[in-house]
Amino acid sequence: MFALLVYLFLIIPLIIITGAAFGTDEYLRFPPQGFSLKWLANIFEVEMFVRTFKISLEIAVLGTVLALLVGIPAAYGLSRYDFVGKNFLQGFFLSPVLVPGIVFGFSLLNFLIIKYEMPVYTSLLIGHTVIIMPYIIRVISSSLENFDYSIEEAAISLGASKVKTFFVIVLPNITSGVIAAFILAFINSFNNVPVSIFLTGPGISTLPIQMMSYVEYYFDPTIAALSVVLMVMTIILMFIIEKTLGLSYFAK
Amino acid sequence: MALLSLKNISVAYGKNVVLKNLNLDVEKGELVSLLGPSGCGKTTTLRLIGGFVEAKNGRFVFNGKDYTKIPVHKRNFGFVFQNYALFPHLTVFDNVAFGLKQRNIPKNEIKKRVMEILETVGLKDYADRSPRELSGGQKQRVALARALVIQPDLLLLDEPLSNLDAKLRVKMRLEIRKIQQEYNITAIYVTHDQEECFSISDRVAVMNNGVIEQLDTPQKIYNLPRTEFVANFVGFENFIELELEAKERGGGGFYKLKNGQRFKVTHFNGREYERYVKGAIRPEEIDILNEGGGKETNTLKGIIGISTFLGKHYQYVVETEVGRLLVNGSAHKRYEKGERVTLYFPEDKIVLV
């Protein structure tokens, strides 16, 4: 019974948003009056939505890939070896989630854009890569925790070099972790506001930032329609994962 | 010349010294076991030979070449792990073929050799299975096949049977021994199980605190341990302090106990020039006589203490003038607590350490 209430609490706003998105009114209203797809169509009318959506997608994909390239070896090193300063390094890698996003975003603005005069796009990419790194390292580390390193030793004893062993033995056994890390990081990057807000500039913005600024001026259901689109996208993504890997990968 | 020799090897993790000036020679075709309690350095020794542990000092010579600095993947040693360490994402066939693939052997040759070795270990029909679908014994067979198929110069086994149940262990150790002899492979076998070790090995190295206490055939280790630690490890529970009094012409000698009693000992066990020694004897070798029974020498008076029923016999703690002794007595007759008895120590059952 309680579980049902919690479930309702979570699902009702989504239902309201969905309903409002297809209404005919000029403002958000539930239950909706009539049915129209004009707000849905309006998303594509607002050119900035289309552009920022592309940028968000690019940043999320590129940032996640970069963070994986750094994060996987880092997680491996942290879990495989004991060395002086390991705890410090672990804390250091996780610090971006501990520091408030606003503070982090502001310091990146000061540092990258003002001091080093980097292009906005590059700074945005760097900011996102850093902010999602902890998720990557956390998820990969936990899947490496279950990894039996004698398997790695077995491969090396059979004549594979260390690097080769990493690619043909270690990596295939943590694929689920890598995919989970990718998705978690992707979603975090795509949704990020506090860091993005400082690192956007003329012509370059991300979708969440654009949505915020849109809501400041307009209160029509376009935003609701856009939310529905994002929701559907997430569902499709989850559906594909479920079909190819099974969601149980995330439960592990 | 020995195929493998460890020369004055020392290994330390930080300040914790694990191996101290260890020396070991192994001949070609031999199976040598490293036996000892946990923490004695046996696994470290094996991992050092395998190349997973670096020596702080000393050299490891294999087949006349210095292997001390040769990386693991260039050694061509087969390694069998306690937890099997099969590659979970590969089939049995691919697991076994892994080492051959690293050696760039043609595909049909790989196929032939893998199937051959799978037949040897009795898993020919399991080639396409995933390791998840195998029982513990089958997994260990795959691990063994995987290590053997590369035709290793040396086979290293790290407690390969300790995750299996007792019956399977006995079966598997016979198989391992058979295959090792068939292929004439030199092998180093780490175990803490005495019976397993004695049944499978040509020679046994008993280790303690990072040194090899004794390297001998299983029979010698069991019957004539050279040190107190080894004696204790193989079941000599009683140690009596002795002082040499006189040597006999035909071998053996007379020793005096702390309480003045005399013991005759048949074999010196290499200790004929030492004045103070200890006589070790197993609980089952001591005879219990009724008080005042017979002989003068090789006896001690005692009082029965705690007794435990062990199935085949009773085991008594007997208080004597030279200390507490463990003695096994017949299961047919139980001595009561406080009963006075005479213990008889057969002269050829006392091992000097």
Side-chain angles (χ1 to χ4, degrees):
Chain A
M1 188 59 212
F2 182 70
L4 188 74
L5 281 175
V6 172
Y7 191 68
L8 282 177
F9 180 76
L10 289 174
I11 200 97
I12 283 175
L14 301 182
I15 293 171
I16 292 177
I17 283 287
T18 311
F22 295 102
T24 47
D25 286 307
E26 290 291 318
Y27 53 93
L28 280 176
R29 184 166 169 184
F30 190 86
Q33 309 292 308
F35 177 83
S36 90
L37 291 176
K38 70 174 173 188
W39 303 118
L40 201 61
N42 195 39
I43 301 172
F44 302 96
E45 299 293 312
V46 183
E47 196 237 344
M48 271 313 273
F49 279 149
V50 180
R51 245 174 75 190
T52 54
F53 177 80
K54 267 199 209 144
I55 290 174
S56 272
L57 205 64
E58 269 171 35
I59 293 286
V61 170
L62 279 176
T64 307
V65 169
L66 280 178
L68 279 172
L69 287 179
V70 181
I72 294 176
Y76 174 78
L78 284 173
S79 98
R80 181 74 175 94
Y81 302 104
D82 266 319
F83 49 87
V84 185
K86 180 172 167 168
N87 283 337
F88 170 77
L89 212 57
Q90 226 151 12
F92 177 75
F93 276 127
L94 298 181
S95 58
V97 272
L98 304 177
V99 177
I102 291 281
V103 175
F104 188 68
F106 180 65
S107 44
L108 280 180
L109 171 72
N110 263 328
F111 196 65
L112 296 179
I113 295 180
I114 296 174
K115 183 130 187 262
Y116 288 100
E117 296 178 351
M118 280 193 180
V120 175
Y121 190 86
T122 318
S123 314
L124 189 62
L125 182 60
I126 293 174
H128 276 233
T129 305
V130 174
I131 198 82
I132 59 187
M133 189 83 76
Y135 298 98
I136 303 253
I137 291 179
R138 272 301 267 278
V139 175
I140 305 267
S141 290
S142 75
S143 70
L144 279 170
E145 221 160 80
N146 301 323
F147 184 76
D148 176 5
Y149 283 106
S150 60
I151 289 168
E152 187 192 53
E153 290 186 339
I156 295 172
S157 80
L158 289 167
S161 66
K162 275 208 144 160
V163 178
K164 187 164 185 195
T165 302
F166 180 77
F167 284 106
V168 299
I169 299 296
V170 180
L171 214 49
N173 280 302
I174 56 166
T175 339
S176 54
V178 174
I179 291 170
F182 185 95
I183 288 167
L184 199 61
F186 181 89
I187 290 172
N188 258 289
S189 163
F190 201 86
N191 287 338
N192 185 278
V193 171
V195 173
S196 301
I197 208 161
F198 288 99
L199 300 175
T200 47
I204 294 172
S205 183
T206 64
L207 188 59
I209 304 295
Q210 184 58 37
M211 283 167 81
M212 271 174 56
S213 58
Y214 187 86
V215 171
E216 275 175 41
Y217 300 106
Y218 311 93
F219 202 62
D220 62 34
T222 312
I223 289 297
L226 187 51
S227 306
V228 171
V229 170
L230 292 181
M231 253 191 307
V232 170
M233 268 178 49
T234 313
I235 290 169
I236 291 172
L237 192 67
M238 286 299 162
F239 183 76
I240 292 169
I241 292 163
E242 167 66 25
K243 280 292 156 202
T244 51
L245 293 163
L247 278 177
S248 56
Y249 267 117
F250 295 94
K252 252 197 246 178
Chain B
M1 207 187 72
L3 177 71
L4 175 162
S5 37
L6 296 179
K7 298 183 173 174
N8 287 315
I9 292 280
S10 295
V11 171
Y13 298 124
K15 282 196 175 149
N16 181 14
V17 180
V18 189
L19 298 178
K20 296 168 207 151
N21 291 324
L22 186 109
N23 287 285
L24 176 68
D25 284 332
V26 177
E27 303 294 333
K28 186 157 180 27
E30 250 190 326
L31 194 155
V32 172
S33 286
L34 306 176
L35 176 68
S38 57
C40 71
K42 56 189 193 295
T43 297
T44 306
T45 308
L46 192 80
R47 292 175 61 78
L48 178 114
I49 294 170
F52 296 117
V53 170
E54 228 173 279
K56 204 172 131 210
N57 291 308
R59 289 202 315 144
F60 165 36
V61 178
F62 186 82
N63 213 355
K65 274 179 264 170
D66 189 340
Y67 263 53
T68 322
K69 297 275 179 213
I70 291 189
V72 184
H73 66 281
K74 300 230 166 96
R75 291 195 182 197
N76 198 37
F77 293 169
F79 211 111
V80 178
F81 295 84
Q82 179 176 352
N83 52 0
Y84 327 123
L86 299 182
F87 310 131
H89 62 301
L90 299 178
T91 61
V92 168
F93 182 92
D94 288 330
N95 261 279
V96 178
F98 187 85
L100 297 177
K101 281 183 187 153
Q102 308 311 314
R103 285 163 177 74
N104 295 322
I105 288 166
K107 262 202 167 153
N108 45 354
E109 166 89 10
I110 290 183
K111 183 153 194 207
K112 198 179 123 236
R113 277 168 69 178
V114 170
M115 290 320 284
E116 241 171 55
I117 198 84
L118 282 178
E119 181 145 25
T120 308
V121 297
L123 289 175
K124 204 177 61 167
D125 302 330
Y126 292 79
D128 297 326
R129 300 266 184 110
S130 140
R132 266 187 299 270
E133 301 168 69
L134 303 181
S135 68
Q138 288 169 335
K139 279 185 196 161
Q140 200 50 287
R141 274 172 230 227
V142 175
L144 190 64
R146 186 178 66 179
L148 286 171
V149 79
I150 60 169
Q151 298 170 340
D153 298 325
L154 183 69
L155 184 61
L156 303 168
L157 303 116
D158 185 8
E159 308 215 16
L161 306 181
S162 54
N163 283 358
L164 306 178
D165 63 58
K167 269 199 178 155
L168 197 57
R169 268 209 299 267
V170 174
K171 198 174 152 224
M172 282 295 292
R173 74 186 188 215
L174 290 174
E175 277 182 41
I176 291 179
R177 178 62 162 164
K178 206 183 107 220
I179 291 171
Q180 181 258 332
Q181 288 179 328
E182 224 169 80
Y183 284 64
N184 192 30
I185 287 179
T186 316
I188 316 264
Y189 191 104
V190 162
T191 179
H192 60 263
D193 183 327
Q194 254 182 65
E195 192 189 300
E196 180 179 310
C197 161
F198 288 157
S199 69
I200 202 173
S201 317
D202 292 304
R203 287 192 299 157
V204 175
V206 181
M207 294 187 66
N208 180 35
N209 274 332
V211 296
I212 294 179
E213 294 251 342
Q214 187 173 358
L215 175 62
D216 251 322
T217 62
Q219 292 77 6
K220 278 242 176 89
I221 298 267
Y222 189 77
N223 294 317
L224 295 171
R226 307 286 298 217
T227 67
E228 189 174 341
F229 173 82
V230 179
N232 199 353
F233 196 71
V234 298
F236 289 80
E237 308 261 8
N238 303 304
F239 295 89
I240 301 164
E241 286 177 34
L242 301 174
E243 184 187 348
L244 183 62
E245 267 196 332
K247 286 183 193 174
E248 282 221 312
R249 203 173 278 250
F254 285 97
Y255 287 85
K256 198 173 78 187
L257 271 66
K258 282 263 150 104
N259 67 345
Q261 178 67 307
R262 292 180 97 206
F263 270 20
K264 186 171 185 256
V265 177
T266 316
H267 310 292
F268 282 120
N269 198 22
R271 307 257 173 193
E272 54 265 55
Y273 302 112
E274 286 169 52
R275 189 164 169 203
Y276 297 99
V277 293
K278 278 182 180 170
I281 188 161
R282 294 175 191 276
E284 63 266 30
E285 306 289 8
I286 301 173
D287 292 330
I288 306 176
L289 311 171
N290 290 327
E291 209 201 353
K295 301 145 189 149
E296 273 289 294
T297 58
N298 289 40
T299 56
L300 269 177
K301 288 190 193 345
I303 301 165
I304 299 277
I306 301 161
S307 66
T308 355
F309 180 60
L310 295 180
K312 276 185 214 154
H313 43 247
Y314 283 103
Q315 185 164 75
Y316 304 98
V317 176
V318 183
E319 296 287 350
T320 71
E321 283 177 326
V322 296
R324 258 183 208 172
L325 298 177
L326 278 178
V327 183
N328 290 357
S330 146
H332 301 299
K333 182 180 184 213
R334 182 171 196 168
Y335 291 92
E336 294 305 320
K337 192 170 178 178
E339 219 171 310
R340 289 173 184 279
V341 291
T342 300
L343 302 176
Y344 173 66
F345 302 79
E347 58 180 64
D348 58 338
K349 301 292 192 217
I350 301 169
V351 176
L352 299 182
V353 294

